[in-house]
Amino acid sequence: LPYARDPSLDSVIVADPGHTDFDLVLLADNNPAISDECYKIVLQHAAEAMMRHHPEMSRDEALTQGITHVREMRESAAREGRTYGAFFRHVVDCQEWCQPLVVGLETCHIEAVSQLGPRSVFFGYNSDRIPPNAGAGFATVAEELARDPHARVLLVGRASRVGDKLYNRELSQRRALAVQQALIELGVAPEKIQAMWIGWEPPQINSRIAGFYGLGDVYARDGETAVNQSVMIVVF
């Protein structure tokens, strides 16, 4: 987790009561791209890490203690509020369980998305206006969803690291919701769409992740800032 000690992850708490940067963590708990099988594998790896720190524990004891810890962390964060930066610093310090769990889940997400053939819509700097060339791609997504009654689509809004962090979170939300509205106008049922937005929080698209997502050429040509001014569309 090279980004976990980044001072810029000290998120601001805005004046609006109850509005903290912990919102993202709550959204990310329900990631539809990650299969139950991958969750199980990650839990097993996290249990093995726990057992290395506590050889006296059985696998079941390690799983129970780890899952209880996650539940307690989630409940205290919902009750007391916690910034995203504080969350990542806890993950770094919690090497017995949280670090292998979070690293594993992020890996699951990246691998799952890469296998689903994601599409990306790239936005201009500080813009939530959909580019004119995006229409054909939206039509293709709408046709795929119409053919399969079980298909759903996940939209992941991002922003670059340029500018205010909270503003960029909101900008990534506007981008994701703009794509959502465009799909609805093409006849996609709202209940088939799940949108999430992560501003410039991890996992930002770096050179390694761009390779997984088929964006290596775009990354090499336009750079990290441009690649992250985007909404990723994942049909699953």
Side-chain angles (χ1 to χ4, degrees), residues 2 23 28 52 71 75 102 108 112 127 129 144 147 173 176 204 206:
D23 295 342
R52 284 194 293 273
R71 185 179 298 115
E75 290 172 355
V102 170
C108 281
S127 174
R129 180 174 296 181
E144 289 181 19
R147 284 197 300 269
Q173 177 183 12
Q204 271 265 301
N206 55 28

Side-chain angles (χ1 to χ4, degrees), residues 18-30:
H19 184 175
T20 74
D21 240 13
F22 191 71
D23 295 342
L24 172 64
V25 180
L26 295 175
L27 281 172
D29 281 341
N30 220 3

Side-chain angles (χ1 to χ4, degrees), residues 76-119:
S76 68
R79 183 174 60 250
E80 302 163 10
R82 179 171 291 116
T83 67
Y84 199 46
F87 166 76
F88 271 104
R89 265 179 278 281
H90 172 82
V91 169
V92 169
D93 294 335
C94 178
Q95 296 183 17
E96 298 179 359
W97 175 264
C98 303
Q99 188 172 138
L101 184 70
V102 170
V103 170
L105 290 176
E106 183 173 297
T107 300
C108 281
H109 171 83
I110 292 168
E111 290 182 350
V113 169
S114 69
Q115 291 170 10
L116 291 167
R119 304 169 175 87

